[in-house]
Amino acid sequence: MGRQAKHAHTLSDGTVIGYSLTERPGGYRVRFIGPDGKRLERATGCRTKGDARTKAQDIIDETYRPALPAEPTQASWEATLTDLVQTPDLRPDSIRGYRTAVKALRTMSPN
């Protein structure tokens, strides 16, 4: 019979990871399936279940961080406007309107 996770944590990419907390001498430990599909058990260093739950989510995030896709980078306004010109099916009036709006935003908030 399979094991059931009692808690769940959602990663930044939307993946839900099930985990369980086990009380051991020295504090709670978190058990979950790692990115390679193997069962992992890590010490939380916490003596209360509430603190252990919070620490367990941090441990899961740290374990899965290398396996998650990279965070998207922020494009500069110049790069965005260049891509805008290359976008198919945009009328010249639309492009001119977008450029005007970006210019107004940059004037109001230069940073």
Coordinates of all heavy atoms in Angstrom, one line a residue, residues 77-78 102-111:
W77 N 12.8 48.8 -22.1 CA 11.8 49.4 -23.0 C 12.2 49.4 -24.4 O 11.4 49.2 -25.3 CB 11.5 50.8 -22.5 CG 10.7 50.9 -21.3 CD1 11.1 51.4 -20.1 CD2 9.3 50.5 -21.1 NE1 10.1 51.3 -19.2 CE2 9.0 50.8 -19.8 CE3 8.4 49.9 -22.0 CZ2 7.7 50.5 -19.3 CZ3 7.1 49.7 -21.5 CH2 6.8 49.9 -20.2
E78 N 13.5 49.6 -24.7 CA 14.0 49.7 -26.0 C 13.8 48.3 -26.7 O 13.4 48.2 -27.9 CB 15.5 50.1 -26.1 CG 15.7 51.5 -25.8 CD 15.6 51.9 -24.3 OE1 15.8 50.9 -23.4 OE2 15.3 53.0 -24.0
V102 N 4.1 54.3 -24.0 CA 5.4 54.0 -23.3 C 6.2 55.2 -23.0 O 6.7 55.4 -21.9 CB 6.2 53.0 -24.2 CG1 7.7 52.9 -23.7 CG2 5.6 51.6 -24.2
K103 N 6.2 56.2 -24.0 CA 6.8 57.4 -23.8 C 6.2 58.2 -22.6 O 6.9 58.7 -21.7 CB 6.8 58.3 -25.0 CG 7.5 59.6 -24.9 CD 7.4 60.4 -26.2 CE 8.1 61.7 -26.1 NZ 8.0 62.5 -27.3
A104 N 4.9 58.2 -22.5 CA 4.2 58.8 -21.4 C 4.6 58.1 -20.0 O 4.8 58.8 -19.0 CB 2.7 58.8 -21.6
L105 N 4.6 56.8 -20.0 CA 4.9 56.1 -18.8 C 6.4 56.4 -18.4 O 6.7 56.6 -17.2 CB 4.8 54.6 -19.0 CG 3.4 54.0 -19.0 CD1 3.4 52.6 -19.4 CD2 2.9 54.1 -17.5
R106 N 7.3 56.4 -19.3 CA 8.7 56.7 -19.0 C 8.9 58.1 -18.5 O 9.7 58.4 -17.6 CB 9.6 56.4 -20.2 CG 9.6 54.9 -20.5 CD 10.4 54.7 -21.8 NE 11.8 54.8 -21.5 CZ 12.8 54.6 -22.4 NH1 12.5 54.3 -23.6 NH2 14.0 54.7 -22.1
T107 N 8.1 59.0 -19.0 CA 8.2 60.4 -18.5 C 7.7 60.5 -17.1 O 8.3 61.2 -16.2 CB 7.3 61.4 -19.4 OG1 7.8 61.2 -20.8 CG2 7.4 62.8 -19.0
M108 N 6.6 59.8 -16.7 CA 6.0 59.9 -15.4 C 6.9 59.1 -14.4 O 7.0 59.5 -13.2 CB 4.6 59.3 -15.4 CG 3.6 60.2 -16.1 SD 1.9 59.6 -16.0 CE 1.9 57.9 -15.8
S109 N 7.4 58.0 -14.8 CA 8.2 57.1 -13.9 C 9.5 56.7 -14.6 O 9.6 55.7 -15.2 CB 7.4 55.9 -13.5 OG 8.1 55.1 -12.7
P110 N 10.5 57.6 -14.5 CA 11.8 57.3 -15.3 C 12.5 56.0 -14.8 O 13.3 55.4 -15.6 CB 12.6 58.5 -15.0 CG 12.0 59.3 -13.9 CD 10.6 58.8 -13.8
N111 N 12.3 55.5 -13.6 CA 12.9 54.3 -13.2 C 12.2 53.1 -13.5 O 12.6 52.0 -13.4 CB 13.2 54.4 -11.7 CG 14.1 55.5 -11.3 OD1 14.9 55.9 -12.1 ND2 14.0 56.0 -10.1

